[in-house]
Amino acid sequence: METFQALLAQKLSAALTAADLPDAGEITQARDPRFGDYQTSAALVLAKQRGEKPRTVAQRIIEKLEVVDVCEPPQIAGAGFINFTLRRAALEQKTTELLRDERLGVATTDAPKRIVIDFGSPNVAKPMHVGHIRSTVLGDSLARIAEFMGHNVVRDNHIGDWGTQFGMVIYGWKNLLDRAALEQDPIAELVRIYKGANEAATADPAVRDACREELVKLQAGEAENFAIWQQCTALSMGEFERAYQLLDIHYDIQRGESFYNDRLPAVVERLCTSGLAEKSEGAVCVFFRDIPDLADRPCIIRKRDGGYNYATTDVATVDYRIGDLQRDTIWIVTGAPQQLHFRQIFEIARREGRNADFRHITHGSILGEDRKLMKTRSGDNVALKDVLAEAIVRARSLIDEKNADMPEAEKAEIARIIGIGAVKYADLSQYRMTDYVFSWDRMLSLQGNTAPYLQNAYVRVQSIFRKAGEQITVPNELVLADPGESVLAKCLCQFAEVVPTVLNGFRPNVLAAYLFELANGFHAFYEACPVLKSDEPARSSRLALCNLTARVLQRGLELLGIGVPEKM
Ligand code: ARG
C-alpha cells in the first residue's frame, strides 16, 4: 500500500522530468489545512539554483503534474509553494484499503539492516536510577519501531558489571556489610557499602590501597572475591529484571562488560601491532592527531597500572557485534556525556577498517521541579523502582476516582498500564536531547499530550463498540461526507508516513506528536459526527473510522512500548 506522500512524490518526480527540470524538493504534509494537505517547495529550490522566478518555475511544474486521480488541481501559494488537496474519492478509497491492512499502511523497509541496539545498560551495585529510564525507554521504542519496519534487531544490555567500583564494593562487603539490610533491600545495601568504602578510601590512603588490592585479586580470579562479585551481580540483575518486567522491556542478549574481559589483552595487542595504538607515559593510547578537536584527546586502552578500561571493553564489544553477531548497524543509546567516548571508539573501528553504520544516540537529563538534576530530598539519585511504584499508586487513585466499583484485579492491572505508560510517555514525547522536568501531575493528566489522554481516547472508542453491542462489518466503501470525517481520515492515512520517519534522527517524539494530533482529531470528529445514532451509510463509515482510530492508537502506543487498557 502506498501513502499519499509517496504517490505525490512519484508524480512530482515525473512532472519535473517532463518539464526538463532536475529532481528536487520533497512532498511534505501541510502544516496548515488552509494550504491543502500536502505541499512541496521544489519550485523554490529549483528557482534558486537556476536564478529564475519561483512562481514561474512552479507554473512549469504544475503544467506537467498529473494528479487528477488523487488531488484537486494543485495551487501555487506564497513565494512559490505548490499545494495539494486530496480529492474525497481518493481519500475514501485509501481509508478503505487501510481498514483491511494489518500494518495500517506502514510499508516494510526495502533495505533491511542487521541492527544491534545497546540501550539501558545499568551498572551492578549501583541503583538503576531514574536517569536510566531515558536510555531504556528510548532504546526499547527504537527497537520496536525498527523491528516493525522489517529490520533484524538484537537488543543487547551492556551491563556495567566489571569496573573499578568492585574494589570498593568488595572492600565494603568484607568490612561494612549488614546482612539483614542486604536481605531487605539488596541494592540499597550494596550502594551503602560502596559509598561507605568510597568515603573511607578518600579519607584514608590505607583503605584506598586495600580497595585496589581487592580489585586486583578479583581481576586475577581469586575465588573469594570472585564469589562476592557473582553475588553482587546476581542481586543487581534480579532488581533490573523486576524493573524490566514492570516496564515490559525485554532483551535478546545481556552481554555485560565482564563478558569481554578475556578478550581485552588481544585487543590491545592487535592495536599495538597494527600501529594504531602506542605507548605513552606508561599507558597505551590511540591518538587522533589528524582530527583537530580530538588532537589532544587520546583514547586510553590500557592504563598505566596495566588495567583495561571502559574503552578497551567497547573496542572488544564492537569486534563481537560485527564479528560474532554479524551486525552491520550498531546503535548505542546513552546520555550525552559519553559523546567523546563513542566518537573515539567509532573512529578506532573505522581505522581498523570495520564498515558498519555506527550511531551514538544520546539523550538529555530528567530534571526535578527545581529544574536541577532530579534528586531525592537527601540529595541521592531517585531510584527507578521507587518511581515506578509511585506511578502505579498514583494511577490507581485516578482509577479509584473514575471507576470506584471496578473489580480489584482489573483496577490493579489498569493502574500498571496507566502508571507505567505515563512515565514512559512523558519521556518519549520530548525530543530526546531536551532536558525535561519530571512532573507527576502533568504526566498523569487526562488533558494534554499525555499517555492517559491517548489511552482515554482509545477507551472511548472501545466503549462505543461496547454500546453498539454488535460485530462491526467492514464496509466495502467508506463515505466521508462530513469535514469531521475527512480530517480524521487524512490523519489516519498519515500514520504510515510518520512511522518510518521516526528512525531518521531517532525521534519517537515525532510519533507521540502524531498520536496526540490523532486523538484530538478523533475528539473533534466525535463531537461533530454522531456515530451510533446516525443513518447508513454514515453509520458504518463512522464506526469504521472509530475502529481504525483505535487500531492506530493501539499500534502507535505499542511502538512506544505503551499498553492500552480496555476501560479506565
Ligand atoms: N553502563 C553504562 C552507563 O551506565 C552504559 C553502557 C553503554 N554501552 C556501552 N557499550 N558502553 O553509563
Side-chain angles (χ1 to χ4, degrees):
M1 206 178 133
E2 206 158 40
T3 63
F4 284 125
Q5 195 176 27
L7 200 63
L8 288 173
Q10 279 164 22
K11 290 177 181 284
L12 173 64
S13 272
L16 290 170
T17 310
D20 262 329
L21 289 165
D23 218 337
E26 307 164 323
I27 299 283
T28 55
Q29 296 170 1
R31 303 227 164 243
D32 184 332
R34 280 178 303 169
F35 302 133
D37 300 314
Y38 293 90
Q39 62 178 35
T40 179
S41 59
L44 293 163
V45 176
L46 288 168
K48 195 165 180 199
Q49 282 172 12
R50 305 157 67 88
E52 293 173 38
K53 283 212 183 85
R55 293 186 70 103
T56 315
V57 179
Q59 190 56 43
R60 265 171 74 193
I61 300 174
I62 281 196
E63 275 158 23
K64 300 291 182 190
L65 268 170
E66 290 181 20
V67 291
V68 276
D69 50 333
V70 201
C71 298
E72 306 295 345
Q75 303 291 319
I76 302 176
F81 289 99
I82 302 173
N83 294 342
F84 303 89
T85 301
L86 297 174
R87 293 173 75 115
R88 180 173 141 187
L91 184 63
E92 287 173 341
Q93 198 195 334
K94 180 78 64 196
T95 315
T96 309
E97 277 175 53
L98 219 52
L99 267 176
R100 294 187 170 72
D101 185 2
E102 265 295 299
R103 296 181 52 85
L104 297 159
V106 183
T108 50
T109 174
D110 44 24
K113 300 178 194 156
R114 294 176 57 78
I115 305 171
V116 59
I117 171 162
D118 167 338
F119 66 100
S121 305
N123 301 316
V124 166
K126 297 187 187 165
M128 209 197 308
H129 59 80
V130 62
H132 280 112
I133 190 132
R134 287 206 90 165
S135 166
T136 308
V137 164
L138 174 62
D140 174 61
S141 170
L142 294 173
R144 287 168 188 259
I145 293 168
E147 220 155 47
F148 184 55
M149 292 300 301
H151 297 292
N152 177 309
V153 179
V154 168
R155 299 147 202 251
D156 185 7
N157 199 3
H158 189 84
I159 294 174
D161 61 358
W162 194 257
T164 41
Q165 81 257 36
F166 282 101
M168 315 257 182
V169 174
I170 292 172
Y171 176 89
W173 184 283
K174 289 180 178 172
N175 297 286
L176 307 168
L177 190 66
D178 174 344
R179 290 267 166 197
L182 186 73
E183 228 142 83
Q184 270 266 311
D185 186 345
I187 305 298
E189 179 59 7
L190 290 181
V191 173
R192 193 190 67 79
I193 61 173
Y194 169 69
K195 277 192 180 167
N198 201 3
E199 273 158 30
T202 319
D204 181 353
V207 176
R208 203 179 55 215
D209 291 343
C211 289
R212 201 169 293 150
E213 235 162 76
E214 299 296 2
L215 183 65
V216 171
K217 277 199 262 170
L218 171 67
Q219 286 170 342
E222 189 254 2
E224 187 189 3
N225 282 10
F226 192 78
I228 295 174
W229 169 78
Q230 271 182 323
Q231 282 185 69
C232 294
T233 303
L235 288 169
S236 293
M237 295 295 281
E239 173 149 337
F240 301 156
E241 264 333 306
R242 274 189 292 282
Y244 296 143
Q245 221 148 46
L246 270 179
L247 286 165
D248 187 22
I249 302 269
H250 95 94
Y251 285 98
D252 301 301
I253 54 174
Q254 310 209 52
R255 301 278 180 268
E257 292 176 15
S258 64
F259 175 80
Y260 300 98
N261 194 32
D262 54 11
R263 301 178 177 224
L264 304 184
V267 164
V268 174
E269 209 175 287
R270 183 181 79 220
L271 287 167
C272 286
T273 310
S274 68
L276 281 177
E278 60 197 78
K279 280 235 165 81
S280 172
E281 296 171 39
V284 178
C285 302
V286 178
F287 284 91
F288 309 96
R289 297 188 177 91
D290 52 333
I291 303 177
D293 62 322
L294 294 186
D296 54 0
R297 298 174 140 163
C299 177
I300 300 176
I301 54 168
R302 203 179 71 202
K303 295 182 289 180
R304 228 189 299 191
D305 64 10
Y308 303 104
N309 62 10
Y310 191 54
T312 331
T313 305
D314 265 322
V315 176
T317 305
V318 169
D319 291 350
Y320 176 75
R321 289 173 175 168
I322 295 179
D324 301 48
L325 298 179
Q326 296 281 301
R327 301 285 113 185
D328 54 36
T329 303
I330 297 179
W331 293 351
I332 296 170
V333 188
T334 78
Q338 297 194 35
Q339 245 152 358
L340 170 64
H341 168 76
F342 283 108
R343 264 187 81 195
Q344 294 176 327
I345 297 298
F346 296 168
E347 185 54 31
I348 293 173
R350 267 186 286 264
R351 290 182 182 191
E352 289 204 278
R354 308 228 183 277
N355 54 17
D357 181 10
F358 298 102
R359 301 296 171 101
H360 184 210
I361 303 164
T362 53
H363 59 76
S365 314
I366 305 183
L367 309 177
E369 304 270 8
D370 58 358
R371 309 210 100 255
K372 297 204 184 108
L373 277 190
M374 194 176 170
K375 298 272 175 196
T376 62
R377 241 171 242 182
S378 54
D380 292 325
N381 283 327
V382 179
L384 178 60
K385 77 169 185 196
D386 296 340
V387 171
L388 300 182
E390 182 163 356
I392 295 171
V393 169
R394 286 180 180 256
R396 172 60 194 252
S397 60
L398 203 92
I399 299 156
D400 283 335
E401 251 168 59
K402 283 189 74 174
N403 250 318
D405 35 69
M406 189 182 268
E408 180 53 36
E410 204 177 343
K411 275 186 183 171
E413 176 56 9
I414 297 175
R416 193 190 63 81
I417 296 175
I418 294 180
I420 300 296
V423 172
K424 286 188 173 186
Y425 192 84
D427 203 284
L428 293 170
S429 57
Q430 300 290 326
Y431 173 51
R432 60 185 163 80
M433 290 306 288
T434 308
D435 295 341
Y436 72 90
V437 173
F438 191 93
S439 157
W440 286 119
D441 290 339
R442 208 173 52 221
M443 73 177 71
L444 282 162
S445 168
L446 284 163
Q447 303 304 327
N449 190 9
T450 66
Y453 176 70
L454 299 181
Q455 289 165 327
N456 202 34
Y458 174 85
V459 165
R460 260 201 177 180
V461 182
Q462 297 310 82
S463 76
I464 296 172
F465 288 112
R466 269 197 300 275
K467 221 181 272 165
E470 59 192 277
Q471 273 307 90
I472 63 145
T473 43
V474 178
N476 286 328
E477 249 163 50
L478 286 183
V479 184
L480 305 172
D482 192 284
E485 297 166 335
S486 53
V487 170
L488 177 58
K490 283 172 191 171
C491 191
L492 289 164
C493 289
Q494 291 182 342
F495 181 62
E497 296 168 1
V498 169
V499 172
T501 65
V502 175
L503 298 182
N504 306 334
F506 308 103
R507 306 196 320 172
N509 63 305
V510 171
L511 176 57
Y514 164 81
L515 294 174
F516 180 52
E517 195 185 310
L518 174 63
N520 288 335
F522 174 74
H523 287 309
F525 154 83
Y526 194 57
E527 224 130 83
C529 306
V531 177
L532 295 176
K533 291 202 177 92
S534 58
D535 298 323
E536 292 299 349
R539 190 173 186 272
S540 302
S541 290
R542 290 177 183 178
L543 274 169
L545 286 177
C546 289
N547 170 264
L548 258 180
T549 303
R551 284 167 54 200
V552 171
L553 283 172
Q554 178 172 32
R555 177 59 69 107
L557 284 169
E558 182 189 312
L559 293 176
L560 298 177
I562 297 171
V564 284
E566 293 302 308
K567 292 183 196 161
M568 68 189 266

